[in-house]
Amino acid sequence: MRQRLGRSWRSSRPRTQPPLVISHREKNTQRIAALDEQAERLRLKPGMGIADARAMHPGIEIVEADTQADRRLLESLADWCDRYTPLVALDGQDGLFLDITGCAHLFGGEKSMLDDMLSRFFHQGFDVRAGLASTPGAAWAAARFCATSVVSPGEEKKTMAPLPLAALRLAPETVASLESVGLRTTGAILQAPRAPLARRFGKALLMRLDQALGHLEEAVSPRLPVAPLSVERHLSEPIMQMDEIERLVLLLARSLKADLERRGEGARALQLLLFRVDGAVSRIGVGTSRPLREPGLIGKLFHERLAALEDVLDAGYGFDLVRLSVLATAPFEMDQTDFTGDVSGSDEDLALFVDRVSARQDSNAVLKPVPVESHIPERAVSFVPFAETGKASGHAGNRVGETALARPSPGPERPIRLFPQPEQVEVMAAEVPDGPPARFRWRRALYEVARAEGPERISPEWWRDGADEATRDYFRIEDADGRRYWLFRQGFYGTTQGNPRWFLQGLFA
């Protein structure tokens, strides 16, 4: 319905629209999964067969349920609820848990916060029922079974007593077993002896009861990690232009700087959250190759990222809440300057360049070679994103739990250009058994060998390639035109495995 009539369909729905019923298949039968207010007034109920509902009211509109789309919608609503609290968890297929501890005063109190939330949901086209209590269990029951939405602290027992057993979030088979012995309300459970209940119906019954009453702690597990630092700005007038967003990012980054300085840290990953007035949320993240706290540099990174997303970022009717969060931090150490004021040995300009390119493209836009524990040339170096190398050996130095990448020790001369995989060549007139070739053909061109140096023997990695892998003998070769190559012979002459093969590994110049 929201796709057909828009996000505000509930307040602008045509009166001629027929009652809407959502169906799903249950045990080879199409049944009602959900329905709107008009269908409820026709006394249709969830679980009723579609055939019976159509026979009673032929004019109803039936739409097949899409569980994946419903899940995406619920997750988008969870994103939108981040405007109230970062502790948002999914509750089944149709609910959300919000831990608003310490957040309600930002909205004028719990009641004002709840009213604002319900009003915004209504204008987005949702019929929402909310419950507010000091325990998740009581809030869940109030949202689904109570006429009042607010349960005062200490009133949990009084509120839960007249409610049905389903208010305790019990399994359907447990509810059926309790009702079969005459226990039909939560109050009946409260009055019954606990020990026989636990023996007959399991410990889950008493656990749910104690959680609802606050006798047992129940934590809300947020669907997303909570940022250690966040700053936000509520806007009286929504903004839509990119330059306005960038100006606001700069203001928020200045607020973050003081907190980062107090903690002695810098940001390694930041996220910009843009909350649209119609409920959509955009998350824009950037990473840094070294700890960062300077607002101007943070602004440059988001300038590049927003420029890359300008064609896909839909501002709609504008953003009324903007939040800048630090997702990851690292210790920040001040650089030592020399007498000219320049930082000795600093690679700040390179790091900023890499960060801006990565923000414009992606984290794999700039790669850096790092040594790998392998003596096979094509495996001895691995290319990783530049920012990841800074996590292990970067500006912040080594920390507990981090291992610095070791610098390669001086060894035999290696080519300037090393091929990702050796390329096979055809060799003519090679000296037997361990000499270099007199000429070779590579990529359909014939090269005359003028000088050669070697061999340098590299044994195979038997634990990776197997015991049958052949040994390599490497030669540094120069042709008649002065070009230098790095060739190797795989295997030996005069063995039962046949003639060895020759490969070109890289180019010196």
Side-chain angles (χ1 to χ4, degrees):
M1 188 64 68
R2 296 175 78 239
Q3 293 180 352
R4 186 185 310 171
L5 302 178
R7 290 178 177 269
S8 58
W9 70 274
R10 187 173 297 278
S11 57
S12 60
R13 180 179 181 178
R15 295 182 178 180
T16 58
Q17 192 73 24
L20 179 65
V21 171
I22 308 299
S23 69
H24 74 294
R25 180 170 294 277
E26 180 182 344
K27 296 181 180 179
N28 295 326
T29 302
Q30 289 293 121
R31 297 187 180 276
I32 297 178
L35 62 169
D36 65 358
E37 293 91 337
Q38 293 188 44
E40 287 180 346
R41 287 194 288 268
L42 298 177
R43 296 186 179 182
L44 301 179
K45 296 181 179 180
M48 179 183 293
I50 292 295
D52 296 336
R54 193 187 295 275
M56 295 170 58
H57 304 282
I60 61 175
E61 181 180 2
I62 302 175
V63 178
E64 183 69 22
D66 188 345
T67 56
Q68 295 182 355
D70 293 341
R71 186 69 175 186
R72 290 194 299 269
L73 176 61
L74 187 62
E75 291 178 349
S76 68
L77 294 179
D79 285 339
W80 179 81
C81 286
D82 278 353
R83 67 187 300 127
Y84 297 103
T85 173
L87 301 176
V88 181
L90 301 180
D91 174 39
Q93 302 297 324
D94 60 351
L96 297 173
F97 271 122
L98 279 70
D99 188 347
I100 62 171
T101 305
C103 301
H105 70 280
L106 301 174
F107 301 87
E110 294 178 347
K111 189 64 170 60
S112 299
M113 180 180 182
L114 189 62
D115 293 340
D116 179 75
M117 186 185 306
L118 294 177
S119 175
R120 290 177 181 269
F121 269 122
F122 175 80
H123 287 95
Q124 293 180 36
F126 294 100
D127 181 18
V128 176
R129 301 186 61 179
L132 183 62
S134 56
T135 65
W140 190 92
R144 288 168 168 78
F145 298 96
C146 292
T148 177
S149 59
V150 179
V151 180
S152 302
E155 298 292 327
E156 293 84 8
K157 186 175 182 179
K158 179 180 178 181
T159 303
M160 296 290 297
L163 300 183
L165 297 177
L168 292 176
R169 296 176 291 169
L170 300 174
E173 54 271 16
T174 303
V175 173
S177 298
L178 289 167
E179 291 178 345
S180 65
V181 296
L183 300 175
R184 301 183 180 278
T185 64
T186 303
I189 301 296
L190 292 171
Q191 297 175 2
R194 293 174 62 92
L197 287 176
R199 286 195 302 266
R200 183 167 182 176
F201 302 103
K203 296 182 179 179
L205 170 61
L206 300 182
M207 180 191 70
R208 287 301 193 188
L209 182 63
D210 291 340
Q211 287 177 342
L213 300 181
H215 301 157
L216 189 63
E217 187 73 18
E218 181 181 2
V220 174
S221 300
R223 54 186 291 268
L224 297 176
V226 180
L229 288 174
S230 291
V231 290
E232 64 183 33
R233 182 70 61 89
H234 290 262
L235 307 173
S236 58
E237 292 292 335
I239 60 175
M240 302 175 60
Q241 302 299 325
M242 284 295 178
D243 55 348
E244 295 177 337
I245 298 175
E246 293 179 14
R247 187 161 49 251
L248 197 54
V249 168
L250 191 60
L251 294 175
L252 295 176
R254 291 171 182 169
S255 301
L256 276 179
K257 182 179 180 181
D259 294 329
L260 290 171
E261 288 177 344
R262 186 180 65 255
R263 295 163 61 108
E265 296 177 335
R268 290 301 307 270
L270 299 106
Q271 187 179 69
L272 179 66
L273 281 80
L274 303 174
F275 294 82
R276 259 177 24 188
V277 294
D278 59 357
V281 182
S282 299
R283 297 178 181 269
I284 304 171
V286 297
T288 66
S289 55
R290 52 187 289 158
L292 198 64
R293 61 168 66 149
E294 183 61 36
L297 300 181
I298 294 175
K300 289 181 180 179
L301 295 184
F302 278 104
H303 169 76
E304 300 292 346
R305 190 61 184 153
L306 290 171
L309 299 175
E310 186 173 5
D311 295 335
V312 297
L313 183 61
D314 184 10
Y317 292 102
F319 304 105
D320 63 343
L321 173 61
V322 179
R323 178 183 301 160
L324 182 61
S325 301
V326 178
L327 302 183
T329 61
F332 189 94
E333 294 183 0
M334 301 300 295
D335 290 321
Q336 180 66 42
T337 60
D338 55 21
F339 289 108
T340 64
D342 297 330
V343 178
S344 177
S346 174
D347 57 351
E348 182 177 351
D349 293 339
L350 174 61
L352 178 59
F353 167 77
V354 172
D355 292 342
R356 295 183 68 176
V357 172
S358 300
R360 173 79 66 156
Q361 303 294 329
D362 56 62
S363 59
N364 295 322
V366 180
L367 304 179
K368 183 177 181 180
V370 295
V372 178
E373 293 183 355
S374 176
H375 55 266
I376 303 299
E378 62 266 24
R379 299 174 183 165
V381 175
S382 176
F383 289 89
V384 299
F386 190 91
E388 294 186 10
T389 63
K391 294 179 181 179
S393 57
H395 174 73
N398 295 339
R399 295 175 289 168
V400 177
E402 290 189 349
T403 303
L405 295 174
R407 295 180 178 272
S409 58
E413 184 182 3
R414 291 293 182 253
I416 296 176
R417 180 185 177 189
L418 193 69
F419 297 155
Q421 293 296 330
E423 298 186 11
Q424 190 168 358
V425 298
E426 181 184 356
V427 168
M428 285 77 75
E431 297 181 11
V432 179
D434 297 326
R439 64 186 63 88
F440 65 93
R441 189 184 303 276
W442 174 53
R443 294 182 180 178
R444 299 183 181 180
L446 185 65
Y447 300 89
E448 294 287 341
V449 177
R451 298 176 184 85
E453 182 181 357
E456 175 191 347
R457 180 160 295 179
I458 296 180
S459 299
E461 295 177 342
W462 55 266
W463 57 91
R464 178 182 298 178
D465 301 321
D468 297 334
E469 186 70 13
T471 301
R472 298 181 180 184
D473 281 346
Y474 281 83
F475 296 88
R476 289 185 290 275
I477 290 176
E478 182 177 333
D479 66 7
D481 297 328
R483 293 184 290 264
R484 303 177 64 206
Y485 311 88
W486 201 33
L487 274 71
F488 72 86
R489 182 189 66 245
Q490 189 174 37
F492 302 103
Y493 288 101
T495 62
T496 58
Q497 298 177 352
N499 291 332
R501 296 185 300 169
W502 287 82
F503 294 88
L504 181 63
Q505 183 81 64
L507 306 174
F508 284 98

